[in-house]
Amino acid sequence: MNPHRLAQLLGLEQNAYSFRYNQTPKLKDALEKAGRDFRSDVVTVPTEGMMQAIIEASVGDDIYDPEGDASVNTLQNKLVELSGKEAALWTLSGTMGNQICLRTHLTQPPHTVLLDHRAHVQCWESGALPVFSQAAVTQVHPQNGVHLTLEDVKRNIIADGNIHFPPTRVVSLENTLSGTILPLKDAKEISEFVRSFPVSADQRPIAMHLDGARLFDAVVAEGVDLKEYCACFDSISFCLAKGVGAPMGSVIVGNKRFIERAKWFRKMFGGGTRQPGMMAAAASAALDQTLSRLPVVHAMTASVAKELETMGYKFALPVQTNMIVLDLEVVGIPPAAFVGYCKNNLIAVFPNGRLVFHHQTSQDGTLRLLKALRQLMSDKEAGIHLIDDRVAGGYS
């Protein structure tokens, strides 16, 4: 067969290596849909730059090849540089990254993880913590109603010595949590206290872990240094499928000894992969292309929140980054009605009232959202019956 014809059949012509959205109508349609999807910031689709990075990625084996995969190494090195930590490890998801970190810190029960009662590692990871780490949890309700403080940790940390209570071995924090920021000042105060907390002579100091799924949003919004923030923690899990919009994957960071041990648990949890370079390359491109857009996303979120406030909506939490959490109960709006009015305007939402903005949220999407919620509030105030059927839907 003619080599040129064979290349055509296999899709190996030169122009096949240059990605364009207009070549893939399904992806173009998905981009339009993402613009009006407020369920989460994981609903984005790859940009042209991410797709091009996938095409050009290395295809090594991250387990068999002693040096690892080149694209994975590039991504890991990028997170090392950004975080200021010694080493990094690619994982398939935020849940996997968090649970690997906690399992690596924890050794032999009895042990307890202290965390916010809403923490993703406890509430939204399918009960992985007690299964993989045999750990009890101390669920803390922040006294200020927004984020944990040093006083919250002091009141709830469990010391060695009382056989009735498994001692605290990890303090796991989260930033952002439902869009709210754990300020650098509080992270520093908690870290200094926890790391100096007295433990038995045969025990390591209590570890500090951060679920940093949306840490980039947090440090950009607070205007603090990422490395300074990361210095408060022994391990951090960055979910790259959230704020920066990668197709999938997370990276965990820590010191070299920690990451070397974490590799065993990644393998144990089913995270050894073949040719992960394509997804790592897309994540690396996402970091390069979308981090700079976070201030725009936050400004858009604040603008919509202001409009909703004028309509009479109330917020369950402060609007600080890319999320608005409506208190539907306090304004008497059933979750089913909230979902239904949005659906009628081609808007996707979860029934809990959380609205999440991202770098592909469109002007059309925000206008449709405001139209739906304006009509909903107007009908509620006019005494029109609102559907109150049972609706389901989770979020992360």
Side-chain angles (χ1 to χ4, degrees):
M1 180 180 290
N2 183 297
H4 178 70
R5 177 57 180 157
L6 178 61
Q8 284 183 320
L9 291 174
L10 295 177
L12 297 179
E13 289 282 59
Q14 184 65 35
N15 61 10
Y17 291 99
S18 182
F19 177 82
R20 291 291 181 271
Y21 262 94
N22 58 16
Q23 296 173 338
T24 53
K26 289 182 180 179
L27 192 53
K28 186 176 180 181
D29 290 344
L31 176 64
E32 190 275 331
K33 180 177 179 293
R36 45 187 172 80
D37 193 332
F38 293 88
R39 292 174 298 171
S40 176
D41 45 2
V42 301
V43 300
T44 57
V45 299
T47 63
E48 289 193 5
M50 292 181 212
M51 294 299 292
Q52 191 65 38
I54 291 171
I55 294 170
E56 297 172 356
S58 56
V59 287
D61 191 299
D62 202 37
I63 303 299
Y64 288 165
D65 297 344
E67 69 282 4
D69 175 85
S71 293
V72 171
N73 291 342
T74 297
L75 175 62
Q76 291 173 166
N77 291 339
K78 186 170 291 186
L79 267 297
V80 166
E81 174 61 29
L82 287 170
S83 68
K85 294 299 184 184
E86 291 181 351
L89 183 67
W90 153 262
T91 67
L92 293 174
S93 69
T95 293
M96 179 178 282
N98 279 325
Q99 296 302 327
I100 287 172
C101 286
L102 294 170
R103 184 62 187 87
T104 303
H105 285 306
L106 296 165
T107 53
Q108 175 66 40
H111 45 217
T112 293
V113 177
L114 186 154
L115 40 72
D116 189 295
H117 73 105
R118 305 158 295 173
H120 197 281
V121 299
Q122 164 69 7
C123 300
W124 298 98
E125 297 185 4
S126 298
L129 185 51
V131 172
F132 292 142
S133 295
Q134 298 177 284
V137 296
T138 303
Q139 300 185 59
V140 182
H141 290 253
Q143 192 171 30
N144 62 24
V146 181
H147 63 79
L148 294 183
T149 65
L150 175 58
E151 292 308 312
D152 293 321
V153 174
K154 282 183 174 180
R155 283 197 303 270
N156 291 279
I157 200 165
I158 303 172
D160 288 313
N162 189 329
I163 63 171
H164 298 285
F165 306 104
T168 302
R169 296 292 181 224
V170 177
V171 171
S172 180
L173 304 180
E174 187 169 339
N175 197 13
T176 64
L177 201 163
S178 294
T180 62
I181 297 168
L182 175 66
L184 175 60
K185 173 181 176 292
D186 294 277
K188 281 184 173 181
E189 291 175 351
I190 294 170
S191 180
E192 290 168 4
F193 170 76
V194 168
R195 286 170 163 172
S196 61
F197 192 81
V199 297
S200 301
D202 61 336
Q203 292 290 341
R204 294 178 294 183
I206 299 172
M208 290 285 296
H209 172 66
L210 179 68
D211 177 355
R214 296 182 174 95
L215 181 57
F216 293 118
D217 279 289
V219 297
V220 167
E222 191 183 1
V224 298
D225 181 70
L226 178 62
K227 289 181 181 178
E228 186 177 5
Y229 202 97
C230 290
C232 300
F233 299 90
D234 301 297
S235 61
I236 301 126
S237 175
F238 294 92
C239 180
L240 303 177
K242 290 184 176 173
V244 295
M248 63 175 285
S250 290
V251 172
I252 61 176
V253 296
N255 64 37
K256 290 180 180 179
R257 181 180 179 184
F258 176 85
I259 293 299
E260 284 304 310
R261 181 163 174 77
K263 289 179 181 178
W264 290 88
F265 292 113
R266 183 181 68 171
K267 175 66 175 174
M268 188 185 300
F269 293 178
T273 52
R274 311 277 83 91
Q275 294 87 50
M278 290 177 280
M279 291 298 98
S284 188
L287 284 168
D288 293 340
Q289 297 166 14
T290 61
L291 275 182
S292 62
R293 289 191 51 78
L294 292 180
V296 176
V297 176
H298 298 167
M300 180 191 301
T301 309
S303 176
V304 171
K306 186 175 180 180
E307 289 288 327
L308 293 175
E309 192 171 23
T310 64
M311 296 177 198
Y313 286 94
K314 304 297 182 183
F315 307 134
L317 290 167
V319 178
Q320 297 178 336
T321 54
N322 69 322
M323 296 189 197
I324 300 169
V325 183
L326 299 174
D327 193 332
L328 297 176
E329 184 176 0
V330 79
V331 294
I333 291 177
F338 173 67
V339 173
Y341 274 68
C342 287
K343 184 177 180 180
N344 290 341
N345 285 272
L346 303 180
I347 294 295
V349 295
F350 282 136
N352 57 10
R354 190 188 76 162
L355 303 169
V356 186
F357 296 73
H358 50 77
H359 73 98
Q360 290 175 336
T361 300
S362 66
Q363 183 180 21
D364 176 66
T366 58
L367 292 175
R368 288 175 180 272
L369 175 69
L370 290 171
K371 178 184 176 183
L373 297 185
R374 185 179 292 109
Q375 186 64 54
L376 173 57
M377 182 60 77
S378 176
D379 287 354
K380 182 260 177 185
E381 291 177 345
I384 295 175
H385 174 72
L386 301 178
I387 58 170
D388 194 11
D389 300 334
R390 185 174 179 176
V391 286
Y395 67 89
S396 63

PDB file of all heavy atoms in Angstrom, residues 106-130:
ATOM      1  N   LEU A 106      -0.363   7.681  58.812  1.00  0.00           N
ATOM      2  CA  LEU A 106      -0.842   6.827  59.894  1.00  0.00           C
ATOM      3  C   LEU A 106      -0.169   5.466  59.838  1.00  0.00           C
ATOM      4  O   LEU A 106       0.024   4.904  58.767  1.00  0.00           O
ATOM      5  CB  LEU A 106      -2.363   6.672  59.789  1.00  0.00           C
ATOM      6  CG  LEU A 106      -3.159   7.970  59.988  1.00  0.00           C
ATOM      7  CD1 LEU A 106      -4.590   7.790  59.501  1.00  0.00           C
ATOM      8  CD2 LEU A 106      -3.135   8.395  61.446  1.00  0.00           C
ATOM      9  N   THR A 107       0.190   4.956  60.996  1.00  0.00           N
ATOM     10  CA  THR A 107       0.870   3.665  61.028  1.00  0.00           C
ATOM     11  C   THR A 107      -0.003   2.605  61.680  1.00  0.00           C
ATOM     12  O   THR A 107      -0.747   1.909  61.001  1.00  0.00           O
ATOM     13  CB  THR A 107       2.226   3.787  61.748  1.00  0.00           C
ATOM     14  OG1 THR A 107       2.024   4.394  63.040  1.00  0.00           O
ATOM     15  CG2 THR A 107       3.193   4.646  60.943  1.00  0.00           C
ATOM     16  N   GLN A 108       0.042   2.506  62.996  1.00  0.00           N
ATOM     17  CA  GLN A 108      -0.667   1.451  63.700  1.00  0.00           C
ATOM     18  C   GLN A 108      -1.783   2.025  64.568  1.00  0.00           C
ATOM     19  O   GLN A 108      -1.541   2.890  65.387  1.00  0.00           O
ATOM     20  CB  GLN A 108       0.320   0.681  64.602  1.00  0.00           C
ATOM     21  CG  GLN A 108      -0.313  -0.384  65.480  1.00  0.00           C
ATOM     22  CD  GLN A 108      -0.897  -1.529  64.670  1.00  0.00           C
ATOM     23  OE1 GLN A 108      -0.301  -1.953  63.681  1.00  0.00           O
ATOM     24  NE2 GLN A 108      -2.060  -2.019  65.058  1.00  0.00           N
ATOM     25  N   PRO A 109      -3.042   1.538  64.411  1.00  0.00           N
ATOM     26  CA  PRO A 109      -4.092   1.986  65.325  1.00  0.00           C
ATOM     27  C   PRO A 109      -3.725   1.603  66.771  1.00  0.00           C
ATOM     28  O   PRO A 109      -2.919   0.679  66.965  1.00  0.00           O
ATOM     29  CB  PRO A 109      -5.326   1.204  64.852  1.00  0.00           C
ATOM     30  CG  PRO A 109      -5.010   0.775  63.454  1.00  0.00           C
ATOM     31  CD  PRO A 109      -3.524   0.568  63.426  1.00  0.00           C
ATOM     32  N   PRO A 110      -4.288   2.308  67.764  1.00  0.00           N
ATOM     33  CA  PRO A 110      -5.365   3.289  67.653  1.00  0.00           C
ATOM     34  C   PRO A 110      -4.854   4.670  67.257  1.00  0.00           C
ATOM     35  O   PRO A 110      -3.827   5.123  67.759  1.00  0.00           O
ATOM     36  CB  PRO A 110      -5.940   3.305  69.074  1.00  0.00           C
ATOM     37  CG  PRO A 110      -4.765   2.976  69.939  1.00  0.00           C
ATOM     38  CD  PRO A 110      -3.939   2.003  69.150  1.00  0.00           C
ATOM     39  N   HIS A 111      -5.588   5.325  66.364  1.00  0.00           N
ATOM     40  CA  HIS A 111      -5.249   6.677  65.967  1.00  0.00           C
ATOM     41  C   HIS A 111      -6.493   7.409  65.471  1.00  0.00           C
ATOM     42  O   HIS A 111      -7.458   6.805  65.018  1.00  0.00           O
ATOM     43  CB  HIS A 111      -4.134   6.716  64.921  1.00  0.00           C
ATOM     44  CG  HIS A 111      -4.288   5.728  63.805  1.00  0.00           C
ATOM     45  ND1 HIS A 111      -3.226   5.082  63.244  1.00  0.00           N
ATOM     46  CD2 HIS A 111      -5.384   5.270  63.140  1.00  0.00           C
ATOM     47  CE1 HIS A 111      -3.648   4.272  62.281  1.00  0.00           C
ATOM     48  NE2 HIS A 111      -4.933   4.389  62.190  1.00  0.00           N
ATOM     49  N   THR A 112      -6.420   8.740  65.580  1.00  0.00           N
ATOM     50  CA  THR A 112      -7.543   9.598  65.214  1.00  0.00           C
ATOM     51  C   THR A 112      -7.072  10.715  64.286  1.00  0.00           C
ATOM     52  O   THR A 112      -5.948  11.207  64.432  1.00  0.00           O
ATOM     53  CB  THR A 112      -8.176  10.239  66.472  1.00  0.00           C
ATOM     54  OG1 THR A 112      -8.790   9.213  67.259  1.00  0.00           O
ATOM     55  CG2 THR A 112      -9.241  11.264  66.121  1.00  0.00           C
ATOM     56  N   VAL A 113      -7.933  11.081  63.336  1.00  0.00           N
ATOM     57  CA  VAL A 113      -7.706  12.240  62.478  1.00  0.00           C
ATOM     58  C   VAL A 113      -8.657  13.338  62.916  1.00  0.00           C
ATOM     59  O   VAL A 113      -9.875  13.129  62.976  1.00  0.00           O
ATOM     60  CB  VAL A 113      -7.939  11.894  60.995  1.00  0.00           C
ATOM     61  CG1 VAL A 113      -7.770  13.136  60.117  1.00  0.00           C
ATOM     62  CG2 VAL A 113      -6.991  10.789  60.547  1.00  0.00           C
ATOM     63  N   LEU A 114      -8.120  14.508  63.227  1.00  0.00           N
ATOM     64  CA  LEU A 114      -8.935  15.671  63.588  1.00  0.00           C
ATOM     65  C   LEU A 114      -9.232  16.464  62.329  1.00  0.00           C
ATOM     66  O   LEU A 114      -8.311  16.791  61.571  1.00  0.00           O
ATOM     67  CB  LEU A 114      -8.201  16.535  64.620  1.00  0.00           C
ATOM     68  CG  LEU A 114      -8.968  17.722  65.222  1.00  0.00           C
ATOM     69  CD1 LEU A 114      -8.413  18.048  66.606  1.00  0.00           C
ATOM     70  CD2 LEU A 114      -8.909  18.968  64.343  1.00  0.00           C
ATOM     71  N   LEU A 115     -10.516  16.797  62.111  1.00  0.00           N
ATOM     72  CA  LEU A 115     -10.900  17.495  60.885  1.00  0.00           C
ATOM     73  C   LEU A 115     -12.187  18.281  61.079  1.00  0.00           C
ATOM     74  O   LEU A 115     -12.912  18.107  62.061  1.00  0.00           O
ATOM     75  CB  LEU A 115     -11.048  16.501  59.724  1.00  0.00           C
ATOM     76  CG  LEU A 115     -11.711  15.133  59.972  1.00  0.00           C
ATOM     77  CD1 LEU A 115     -13.206  15.279  60.186  1.00  0.00           C
ATOM     78  CD2 LEU A 115     -11.434  14.189  58.817  1.00  0.00           C
ATOM     79  N   ASP A 116     -12.463  19.169  60.142  1.00  0.00           N
ATOM     80  CA  ASP A 116     -13.722  19.894  60.093  1.00  0.00           C
ATOM     81  C   ASP A 116     -14.846  18.898  59.815  1.00  0.00           C
ATOM     82  O   ASP A 116     -14.677  17.965  59.025  1.00  0.00           O
ATOM     83  CB  ASP A 116     -13.664  20.951  58.976  1.00  0.00           C
ATOM     84  CG  ASP A 116     -14.842  21.910  58.992  1.00  0.00           C
ATOM     85  OD1 ASP A 116     -15.985  21.458  58.765  1.00  0.00           O
ATOM     86  OD2 ASP A 116     -14.621  23.127  59.215  1.00  0.00           O
ATOM     87  N   HIS A 117     -15.996  19.086  60.451  1.00  0.00           N
ATOM     88  CA  HIS A 117     -17.094  18.121  60.305  1.00  0.00           C
ATOM     89  C   HIS A 117     -17.595  18.027  58.866  1.00  0.00           C
ATOM     90  O   HIS A 117     -18.249  17.031  58.504  1.00  0.00           O
ATOM     91  CB  HIS A 117     -18.246  18.493  61.240  1.00  0.00           C
ATOM     92  CG  HIS A 117     -19.022  19.697  60.823  1.00  0.00           C
ATOM     93  ND1 HIS A 117     -20.278  19.633  60.263  1.00  0.00           N
ATOM     94  CD2 HIS A 117     -18.725  21.029  60.890  1.00  0.00           C
ATOM     95  CE1 HIS A 117     -20.713  20.851  59.996  1.00  0.00           C
ATOM     96  NE2 HIS A 117     -19.800  21.721  60.360  1.00  0.00           N
ATOM     97  N   ARG A 118     -17.278  19.011  58.016  1.00  0.00           N
ATOM     98  CA  ARG A 118     -17.711  18.983  56.613  1.00  0.00           C
ATOM     99  C   ARG A 118     -16.621  18.488  55.677  1.00  0.00           C
ATOM    100  O   ARG A 118     -16.787  18.513  54.456  1.00  0.00           O
ATOM    101  CB  ARG A 118     -18.116  20.393  56.180  1.00  0.00           C
ATOM    102  CG  ARG A 118     -19.176  21.056  57.038  1.00  0.00           C
ATOM    103  CD  ARG A 118     -19.144  22.570  56.902  1.00  0.00           C
ATOM    104  NE  ARG A 118     -17.893  23.130  57.419  1.00  0.00           N
ATOM    105  CZ  ARG A 118     -17.534  24.405  57.310  1.00  0.00           C
ATOM    106  NH1 ARG A 118     -18.328  25.261  56.694  1.00  0.00           N
ATOM    107  NH2 ARG A 118     -16.383  24.811  57.802  1.00  0.00           N
ATOM    108  N   ALA A 119     -15.493  18.038  56.218  1.00  0.00           N
ATOM    109  CA  ALA A 119     -14.308  17.744  55.410  1.00  0.00           C
ATOM    110  C   ALA A 119     -14.584  16.709  54.324  1.00  0.00           C
ATOM    111  O   ALA A 119     -15.244  15.690  54.549  1.00  0.00           O
ATOM    112  CB  ALA A 119     -13.180  17.249  56.308  1.00  0.00           C
ATOM    113  N   HIS A 120     -14.041  16.976  53.156  1.00  0.00           N
ATOM    114  CA  HIS A 120     -14.194  16.065  52.026  1.00  0.00           C
ATOM    115  C   HIS A 120     -13.647  14.684  52.353  1.00  0.00           C
ATOM    116  O   HIS A 120     -14.252  13.665  51.990  1.00  0.00           O
ATOM    117  CB  HIS A 120     -13.468  16.645  50.801  1.00  0.00           C
ATOM    118  CG  HIS A 120     -13.877  16.030  49.499  1.00  0.00           C
ATOM    119  ND1 HIS A 120     -13.408  14.811  49.063  1.00  0.00           N
ATOM    120  CD2 HIS A 120     -14.710  16.469  48.521  1.00  0.00           C
ATOM    121  CE1 HIS A 120     -13.928  14.529  47.884  1.00  0.00           C
ATOM    122  NE2 HIS A 120     -14.729  15.519  47.533  1.00  0.00           N
ATOM    123  N   VAL A 121     -12.518  14.602  53.042  1.00  0.00           N
ATOM    124  CA  VAL A 121     -11.898  13.303  53.333  1.00  0.00           C
ATOM    125  C   VAL A 121     -12.781  12.438  54.213  1.00  0.00           C
ATOM    126  O   VAL A 121     -12.652  11.211  54.218  1.00  0.00           O
ATOM    127  CB  VAL A 121     -10.505  13.465  53.992  1.00  0.00           C
ATOM    128  CG1 VAL A 121      -9.557  14.211  53.070  1.00  0.00           C
ATOM    129  CG2 VAL A 121     -10.599  14.159  55.346  1.00  0.00           C
ATOM    130  N   GLN A 122     -13.705  13.065  54.934  1.00  0.00           N
ATOM    131  CA  GLN A 122     -14.616  12.335  55.809  1.00  0.00           C
ATOM    132  C   GLN A 122     -15.988  12.128  55.181  1.00  0.00           C
ATOM    133  O   GLN A 122     -16.552  11.037  55.251  1.00  0.00           O
ATOM    134  CB  GLN A 122     -14.761  13.086  57.139  1.00  0.00           C
ATOM    135  CG  GLN A 122     -15.940  12.680  57.995  1.00  0.00           C
ATOM    136  CD  GLN A 122     -15.824  11.282  58.582  1.00  0.00           C
ATOM    137  OE1 GLN A 122     -14.780  10.645  58.460  1.00  0.00           O
ATOM    138  NE2 GLN A 122     -16.876  10.813  59.233  1.00  0.00           N
ATOM    139  N   CYS A 123     -16.521  13.154  54.539  1.00  0.00           N
ATOM    140  CA  CYS A 123     -17.922  13.131  54.093  1.00  0.00           C
ATOM    141  C   CYS A 123     -18.129  12.679  52.657  1.00  0.00           C
ATOM    142  O   CYS A 123     -19.210  12.184  52.324  1.00  0.00           O
ATOM    143  CB  CYS A 123     -18.534  14.524  54.262  1.00  0.00           C
ATOM    144  SG  CYS A 123     -18.527  15.149  55.949  1.00  0.00           S
ATOM    145  N   TRP A 124     -17.128  12.868  51.791  1.00  0.00           N
ATOM    146  CA  TRP A 124     -17.355  12.708  50.361  1.00  0.00           C
ATOM    147  C   TRP A 124     -16.391  11.725  49.697  1.00  0.00           C
ATOM    148  O   TRP A 124     -16.237  11.760  48.479  1.00  0.00           O
ATOM    149  CB  TRP A 124     -17.276  14.077  49.662  1.00  0.00           C
ATOM    150  CG  TRP A 124     -18.334  15.012  50.161  1.00  0.00           C
ATOM    151  CD1 TRP A 124     -18.198  15.987  51.115  1.00  0.00           C
ATOM    152  CD2 TRP A 124     -19.703  15.032  49.768  1.00  0.00           C
ATOM    153  NE1 TRP A 124     -19.398  16.612  51.329  1.00  0.00           N
ATOM    154  CE2 TRP A 124     -20.341  16.050  50.512  1.00  0.00           C
ATOM    155  CE3 TRP A 124     -20.455  14.299  48.853  1.00  0.00           C
ATOM    156  CZ2 TRP A 124     -21.696  16.341  50.377  1.00  0.00           C
ATOM    157  CZ3 TRP A 124     -21.806  14.605  48.711  1.00  0.00           C
ATOM    158  CH2 TRP A 124     -22.412  15.608  49.463  1.00  0.00           C
ATOM    159  N   GLU A 125     -15.780  10.855  50.504  1.00  0.00           N
ATOM    160  CA  GLU A 125     -14.839   9.900  49.913  1.00  0.00           C
ATOM    161  C   GLU A 125     -15.217   8.462  50.247  1.00  0.00           C
ATOM    162  O   GLU A 125     -14.372   7.593  50.460  1.00  0.00           O
ATOM    163  CB  GLU A 125     -13.406  10.264  50.326  1.00  0.00           C
ATOM    164  CG  GLU A 125     -13.025  11.647  49.785  1.00  0.00           C
ATOM    165  CD  GLU A 125     -11.581  12.074  50.018  1.00  0.00           C
ATOM    166  OE1 GLU A 125     -10.779  11.263  50.554  1.00  0.00           O
ATOM    167  OE2 GLU A 125     -11.244  13.220  49.657  1.00  0.00           O
ATOM    168  N   SER A 126     -16.528   8.223  50.307  1.00  0.00           N
ATOM    169  CA  SER A 126     -17.107   6.875  50.408  1.00  0.00           C
ATOM    170  C   SER A 126     -16.609   6.077  51.608  1.00  0.00           C
ATOM    171  O   SER A 126     -16.481   4.852  51.528  1.00  0.00           O
ATOM    172  CB  SER A 126     -16.847   6.085  49.107  1.00  0.00           C
ATOM    173  OG  SER A 126     -17.458   6.727  48.019  1.00  0.00           O
ATOM    174  N   GLY A 127     -16.331   6.753  52.700  1.00  0.00           N
ATOM    175  CA  GLY A 127     -15.892   6.042  53.900  1.00  0.00           C
ATOM    176  C   GLY A 127     -14.502   5.455  53.788  1.00  0.00           C
ATOM    177  O   GLY A 127     -14.169   4.484  54.485  1.00  0.00           O
ATOM    178  N   ALA A 128     -13.663   6.039  52.941  1.00  0.00           N
ATOM    179  CA  ALA A 128     -12.334   5.464  52.699  1.00  0.00           C
ATOM    180  C   ALA A 128     -11.424   5.530  53.919  1.00  0.00           C
ATOM    181  O   ALA A 128     -10.583   4.643  54.123  1.00  0.00           O
ATOM    182  CB  ALA A 128     -11.663   6.184  51.524  1.00  0.00           C
ATOM    183  N   LEU A 129     -11.571   6.575  54.737  1.00  0.00           N
ATOM    184  CA  LEU A 129     -10.647   6.775  55.851  1.00  0.00           C
ATOM    185  C   LEU A 129     -10.656   5.610  56.845  1.00  0.00           C
ATOM    186  O   LEU A 129      -9.594   5.068  57.169  1.00  0.00           O
ATOM    187  CB  LEU A 129     -10.951   8.108  56.537  1.00  0.00           C
ATOM    188  CG  LEU A 129     -10.035   8.570  57.661  1.00  0.00           C
ATOM    189  CD1 LEU A 129      -8.569   8.520  57.257  1.00  0.00           C
ATOM    190  CD2 LEU A 129     -10.405   9.990  58.098  1.00  0.00           C
ATOM    191  N   PRO A 130     -11.806   5.162  57.342  1.00  0.00           N
ATOM    192  CA  PRO A 130     -11.774   4.010  58.244  1.00  0.00           C
ATOM    193  C   PRO A 130     -11.421   2.702  57.545  1.00  0.00           C
ATOM    194  O   PRO A 130     -10.861   1.795  58.172  1.00  0.00           O
ATOM    195  CB  PRO A 130     -13.200   3.962  58.818  1.00  0.00           C
ATOM    196  CG  PRO A 130     -14.042   4.692  57.832  1.00  0.00           C
ATOM    197  CD  PRO A 130     -13.154   5.752  57.252  1.00  0.00           C
TER     198      PRO A 130
END
